[in-house]
Amino acid sequence: AQTVTQSQPEMSVQEAETVTLSCTYDTSESDYYLFWYKQPPSRQMILVIRQEAYKQQNATENRFSVNFQKAAKSFSLKISDSQLGDAAMYFCAYRSLNTNAGKSTFGDGTTLTVKP
Amino acid sequence: EAGVAQSPRYKIIEKRQSVAFWCNPISGHATLYWYQQILGQGPKLLIQFQNNGVVDDSQLPKDRFSAERLKGVDSTLKIQPAKLEDSAVYLCASSLRTSGGNTIYFGEGSWLTVV
């Protein structure tokens, strides 16, 4: 079974600065997807960015980018020019392309605080 | 486009009582998921439907939890009898198809407190 580990329960960043959230995962599969979700206090999970394992190029979405290291099974999220609205819980998730496709395994999250 | 709708948003019940949550996915989405999120943890999949058939219910406590998706559209999740450890947010989500690349869209969740 796949596992996802987020080793930083809490992180803080000054507004306009850059922060990196860490995620590692364990799998024996070669093809899969990785995701970062944002969960504000309202609890609605919002997709931030996703990465296909077969792509070597790191995904980017505006101020959000990832550092995907397949061999190390590492998938970190970098938030540039942090804004107050970025404050939330961030979850890393893994989804297999093979068995139970569509079932996502989530880490336990990192709470991000943005200081004005 | 309307998102995933869930109700009720909040529910407080006593242990051993029953509760039901309702979910209406995004129109046209074949795959529907129910997740349980306990405070301080990530969501855990309880059950996944493809249309009105169950794809995965391996982590559903079947002695007390049940779910159905009649007609392949909206779904209900029932807990009977509830235990204290069932206190959690129950997230419904949907995606166009089951394949791994499809984006999963989440509802705002139903908060359950069992006292």
Side-chain angles (χ1 to χ4, degrees):
Chain A
Q2 292 80 24
T3 58
V4 176
T5 302
Q6 294 179 248
S7 60
Q8 306 155 315
E10 297 179 353
M11 290 285 285
S12 66
V13 63
Q14 207 69 32
E15 194 176 5
E17 294 190 345
T18 296
V19 64
T20 298
L21 308 183
S22 301
C23 172
T24 58
Y25 58 94
D26 186 30
T27 184
S28 58
E29 300 176 328
S30 58
D31 292 324
Y32 48 87
Y33 284 87
L34 295 166
F35 303 83
W36 278 98
Y37 286 90
K38 174 184 177 181
Q39 188 178 47
S42 69
R43 287 286 180 158
Q44 185 169 21
M45 302 278 277
I46 302 165
L47 178 65
V48 174
I49 197 166
R50 73 177 189 182
Q51 174 80 42
E52 293 91 334
Y54 63 88
K55 289 186 177 179
Q56 292 185 336
Q57 186 174 6
N58 289 322
T60 62
E61 287 288 342
N62 300 316
R63 297 182 295 108
F64 299 88
S65 61
V66 299
N67 183 3
F68 173 48
Q69 301 289 329
K70 190 173 184 180
K73 297 179 183 175
S74 170
F75 182 61
S76 61
L77 174 70
K78 185 171 81 171
I79 306 174
S80 304
D81 186 25
S82 297
Q83 300 175 0
L84 295 178
D86 295 333
M89 278 203 77
Y90 286 82
F91 290 93
C92 178
Y94 172 102
R95 195 188 320 169
S96 172
L97 281 175
N98 299 319
T99 58
N100 293 328
K103 173 183 176 179
S104 297
T105 301
F106 288 82
D108 283 337
T110 296
T111 300
L112 178 65
T113 301
V114 181
K115 299 177 181 178
Chain B
E1 177 181 83
V4 177
Q6 291 189 245
S7 68
R9 288 296 316 280
Y10 305 93
K11 192 77 175 177
I12 300 174
I13 62 173
E14 294 183 350
K15 59 183 178 183
R16 290 188 290 275
Q17 286 187 329
S18 63
V19 63
F21 300 114
W22 174 83
C23 173
N24 189 30
I26 293 174
S27 178
H29 281 196
T31 308
L32 185 147
Y33 315 79
W34 282 103
Y35 286 86
Q36 179 192 57
Q37 187 178 17
I38 294 172
L39 186 66
Q41 298 181 17
K44 181 185 80 173
L45 181 70
L46 292 176
I47 190 167
Q48 177 182 338
F49 293 94
Q50 176 72 11
N51 296 311
N52 60 353
V54 175
V55 174
D56 183 355
D57 63 358
S58 57
Q59 298 191 88
L60 186 73
K62 298 180 184 64
D63 58 334
R64 298 183 299 105
F65 286 64
S66 64
E68 60 182 11
R69 191 185 184 196
L70 300 177
K71 302 180 181 178
V73 182
D74 55 356
S75 174
T76 55
L77 175 70
K78 297 179 181 178
I79 308 173
Q80 183 181 11
K83 291 185 175 181
L84 296 177
E85 58 261 36
D86 298 332
S87 294
V89 178
Y90 291 86
L91 297 167
C92 181
S94 69
S95 63
L96 199 57
R97 287 179 292 276
T98 299
S99 61
N102 276 257
T103 298
I104 297 178
Y105 296 88
F106 287 81
E108 292 185 305
S110 292
W111 299 59
L112 173 66
T113 301
V114 182
V115 298

